[in-house]
Amino acid sequence: MTQLTTPPAGAPAKTPAPAPKRRRRGSGFGTMRRREKLLRYALLLLALVVTVGPFVWQLSTSLKGAGENIYTSTPQFIPSDPTFDNYLRVAETIPVLSYAKNSLIVAAMTVIGNAVGATLAGFALAKLHFRGRTLFLALVLGTLVLPGEVTIISQYVTVRSLGLADTLIGVALPTTVAMLNVLLMRAAFMAIPDEMDEAAVIDGASAWQRLIHVGLPNVRGMLSVITIFAFIGAWDDFLWPLIVLTDPQNYTLTVGLQYLSGAFTANPRVIAAGTMIAFIPIVIVFATLQRFFFRGVEEGAIKG
Amino acid sequence: MKTQRWFTPWLLLGPALVWLLVFNLWPAINTVVLAFTNAKPLGGGSFTGVANFERMLNDEQLVYALVNSIVYMLVCLPLLLFLPLLLAVLLEKKLPGITFFRTAFYTPVIASAVVVALIWTWLLEDRGLVNGLAQQLGFLTEPLPFLSGRWLLLFSAISLTVWKGLGYYMIIYLSALGNVSRQLHEAAAVDGAGPIRRFWSVTVPGVRTTMLLVSVLVTVSALRVFTELFVLTNGTGGPGGRTMSLVMLIQMYSRGFTGHLGYASALSLLLFVITVGPMLLLLRLNRKAA
């Protein structure tokens, strides 16, 4: 690998015409030197071990049978006799399937609520003129200054007074229409040029028709971004369901997992299997939709 | 453009308006109201004046929580300011397979904090992988009890937060790196500056604004930390409840017979006071970027 570090720069001396181009190559831009490439891959692999290694270790632990020593000082990443026993043990200890169902119900309510609520409001704020619009926007923006944890106690008081404490609706309700998503959808609708809309207005289209035929086809990108974020946010959330839910029957997966690790003398294999049950679905969602995901992050869908 | 009926916008705005009022504005107002009452999870709630705030002054646990928050912030800041930037620099070159690495590095971000904290509990256990490897390689002679003791617990939680945050800030830096002048890099290289020199004198100044954004984001999230500490200490807050965060205290007072929603609301107001500065700055930075 070392012999390739300098050569291209030396060559052009004989043929003066293409010299500038070649020299730029030699300095390491455009095409990269092989040594740098190898170094980069080595560092990338190191970072991969650090970031993904713990998940692999957990997956491996979850597949190790009762007969395999999981504490050995020479870590064994490949289970000697892989088994799904630990996953069955999770199901025997906690009602993990109904927890997963609960998480899914909460996530579904949040996704649908945000998709509908934020789209309608975003369209109205971006494309319709009416009194009170500026005030509404100012209030929405004002709410972003509050971290969710600040109002979590009074949210609980509200949910309790609605008779929804210890219910899944109570878990989903406060974030069913998130103000940040309203702002993001508004930005998406504002990016549609007015000329596209004007034709529809001249043709006498109603606000509703403009939303369906002009608006929606042009905001699909942002709509998928907010639904993915809503799903992951609801699926991963811990603090709020922990406060709202009291009956172990109603737990979502994250609260149930904490319950699994706290209430019983912990068997690391079973807890590992439990974490994988919560982790794998979100990885699948993420892996299939990551294209939208990264675009969303780059477009500023960053939750403070 | 005034072709719609007057109520059409309000029909469309309806759900968002309800949620704005019921689940955003009202809780904000009610937090202030509750902070002056003795409301309990099981009812009650008469006006008690500034009793909750007086209680705060004599709350030893609160002092621990605030000190923990400051340590959390001070340790997280430098690490999350530079490590993700290094990752982003590594991902910047369009090498084959780079998309795979980017996605993989982001995985800890999308995993639930509970899942991550349980994985780390297993890694950091006395007989876990970290202690095992450290002993194997001769860094340690006997296992380090990462999960007991106030400070070790706190630093374990911090390492977890840093690990989970790497990918998040990496993506933010990655989009900022696109704006760093390529010519400047080339000029520096022609002048004989090595990669480390160029990192400090071209890359870092080029992402200055983003570094400000990242440091504000890190500050706010360090002040809001909950799940990492809760799961690593199994909900206890460590020995004597000294490894708690402010949000953990708020949660603790939210339930059970010993719960005190009034006091929890007063603590929430305190959280608001210490986060409002960075949050306003964040809003400004985001608006400027947009």
Side-chain angles (χ1 to χ4, degrees):
Chain A
M1 40 177 138
T2 38
Q3 78 273 26
L4 276 175
T5 48
T6 43
K14 284 168 202 153
T15 44
K21 211 187 200 170
R22 286 282 179 93
R23 199 176 304 140
R24 208 157 43 232
R25 276 172 132 204
S27 67
F29 292 90
T31 62
M32 209 179 289
R33 278 173 291 180
R34 194 156 156 209
R35 198 174 65 174
E36 186 187 344
K37 225 179 210 173
L38 279 170
L39 181 68
R40 278 180 175 269
Y41 275 116
L43 289 170
L44 284 168
L45 280 174
L46 179 73
L48 186 69
V49 169
V50 172
T51 49
V52 178
F55 293 112
V56 178
W57 180 240
Q58 191 80 344
L59 177 65
S60 148
T61 305
S62 78
L63 296 172
K64 285 175 183 168
E68 189 169 351
N69 182 7
I70 51 171
Y71 295 107
T72 53
S73 51
T74 38
Q76 220 59 55
F77 271 89
I78 312 288
S80 62
D81 186 16
T83 166
F84 281 108
D85 274 1
N86 299 315
Y87 290 83
L88 296 175
R89 291 276 302 284
V90 175
E92 284 163 14
T93 330
I94 56 170
V96 68
L97 282 180
S98 96
Y99 289 175
K101 193 189 73 196
N102 290 348
S103 282
L104 208 57
I105 291 173
V106 171
M109 285 194 278
T110 316
V111 164
I112 294 169
N114 276 295
V116 176
T119 302
L120 297 181
F123 175 76
L125 289 170
K127 291 293 177 191
L128 303 180
H129 298 264
F130 56 97
R131 289 183 69 172
R133 185 171 75 160
T134 319
L135 176 67
F136 189 94
L137 265 174
L139 288 175
V140 168
L141 214 57
T143 64
L144 297 188
V145 180
L146 285 179
E149 291 84 358
V150 167
T151 52
I152 210 154
I153 295 295
S154 52
Q155 292 282 21
Y156 173 64
V157 172
T158 306
V159 164
R160 192 183 61 181
S161 64
L162 292 171
L164 295 170
D166 205 13
T167 66
L168 295 176
I169 296 179
V171 176
L173 211 53
T175 47
T176 299
V177 185
M179 292 304 126
L180 179 69
N181 291 337
V182 172
L183 287 182
L184 289 174
M185 287 311 292
R186 170 179 172 262
F189 280 113
M190 284 183 51
I192 303 173
D194 278 338
E195 298 81 66
M196 280 178 79
D197 222 19
E198 269 158 22
V201 175
I202 291 164
D203 288 350
S206 68
W208 185 250
Q209 285 165 328
R210 282 161 60 198
L211 168 60
I212 299 291
H213 298 295
V214 186
L216 274 186
N218 287 297
V219 295
R220 274 181 303 204
M222 186 61 89
L223 190 56
S224 38
V225 167
I226 67 161
T227 51
I228 299 166
F229 273 103
F231 182 86
I232 293 183
W235 184 271
D236 284 350
D237 196 14
F238 178 60
L239 174 58
W240 175 243
L242 184 70
I243 288 179
V244 175
L245 301 174
T246 41
D247 184 353
Q249 283 302 315
N250 295 332
Y251 282 176
T252 56
L253 254 183
T254 52
V255 183
L257 268 183
Q258 157 65 20
Y259 179 62
L260 172 73
S261 82
F264 306 91
T265 18
N267 177 346
R269 297 179 185 84
V270 177
I271 294 173
T275 53
M276 282 300 131
I277 294 174
F279 177 60
I280 289 168
I282 211 80
V283 169
I284 293 172
V285 169
F286 174 59
T288 20
L289 301 172
Q290 51 132 328
R291 218 158 32 92
F292 301 102
F293 203 92
F294 285 119
R295 201 170 67 202
V297 179
E298 278 153 22
E299 279 173 23
I302 292 161
K303 304 206 172 184
Chain B
M1 281 272 213
K2 278 260 173 186
T3 47
Q4 85 261 7
R5 273 172 291 207
W6 70 269
F7 55 80
T8 314
W10 293 103
L11 270 182
L12 295 170
L13 224 45
L17 181 64
V18 170
W19 260 265
L20 175 67
L21 297 175
V22 179
F23 294 104
N24 287 280
L25 295 180
W26 170 244
I29 297 164
N30 202 26
T31 304
V32 180
V33 175
L34 284 166
F36 293 93
T37 69
N38 63 356
K40 296 276 158 58
L42 306 165
S46 41
F47 183 74
T48 53
V50 292
N52 291 326
F53 297 95
E54 280 170 6
R55 180 175 171 179
M56 256 161 51
L57 293 176
N58 301 314
D59 189 342
E60 206 188 18
Q61 240 176 345
L62 178 60
V63 177
Y64 285 121
L66 291 176
V67 171
N68 290 342
S69 293
I70 292 168
V71 174
Y72 223 98
M73 210 172 74
L74 291 179
V75 182
C76 281
L77 259 178
L79 292 173
L80 283 175
L81 208 51
F82 287 103
L83 292 178
L85 179 57
L86 291 175
L87 280 187
V89 168
L90 212 49
L91 286 176
E92 195 190 9
K93 289 269 156 58
K94 302 267 176 291
L95 294 171
I98 210 78
T99 325
F100 163 75
F101 284 105
R102 184 183 66 172
T103 311
F105 295 171
Y106 200 75
T107 319
V109 181
I110 53 134
S112 166
V114 176
V115 167
V116 168
L118 287 173
I119 292 179
W120 278 66
T121 308
W122 172 223
L123 283 176
L124 294 175
E125 206 190 274
D126 286 358
R127 293 189 291 168
L129 186 65
V130 171
N131 269 315
L133 282 179
Q135 281 170 282
Q136 191 89 341
L137 299 171
F139 293 128
L140 291 174
T141 44
E142 51 191 74
L144 202 59
F146 288 107
L147 300 175
S148 51
R150 179 187 177 196
W151 294 109
L152 270 179
L153 263 171
L154 193 67
F155 288 117
S156 300
I158 290 174
S159 62
L160 196 163
T161 303
V162 169
W163 181 75
K164 197 177 187 315
L166 285 176
Y168 183 79
Y169 300 109
M170 170 192 87
I171 293 292
I172 300 180
Y173 276 129
L174 208 49
S175 53
L177 281 179
N179 303 325
V180 176
S181 155
R182 210 184 147 87
Q183 279 81 19
L184 223 53
H185 260 298
E186 295 190 17
V190 170
D191 288 349
I196 296 172
R197 182 75 202 279
R198 275 189 322 218
F199 176 78
W200 285 109
S201 50
V202 180
T203 308
V204 170
V207 295
R208 246 189 350 247
T209 341
T210 312
M211 290 186 112
L212 180 62
L213 173 72
V214 168
S215 50
V216 180
L217 283 169
V218 172
T219 303
V220 174
S221 63
L223 294 171
R224 295 166 66 183
V225 68
F226 170 76
T227 307
E228 288 94 328
L229 286 170
F230 187 92
V231 176
L232 283 190
T233 66
N234 221 333
T236 64
R242 289 181 185 185
T243 316
M244 286 210 175
S245 66
L246 187 51
V247 179
M248 250 187 107
L249 277 179
I250 294 173
Q251 186 271 341
M252 185 180 86
Y253 287 113
S254 76
R255 55 191 316 171
F257 295 103
T258 51
H260 193 312
L261 297 180
Y263 188 54
S265 302
L267 292 172
S268 306
L269 283 186
L270 178 64
L271 179 65
F272 170 68
V273 169
I274 58 180
T275 49
V276 69
M279 287 300 266
L280 282 171
L281 188 57
L282 197 59
L283 210 60
R284 262 194 71 157
L285 289 172
N286 272 333
R287 296 213 79 186
K288 214 187 272 175

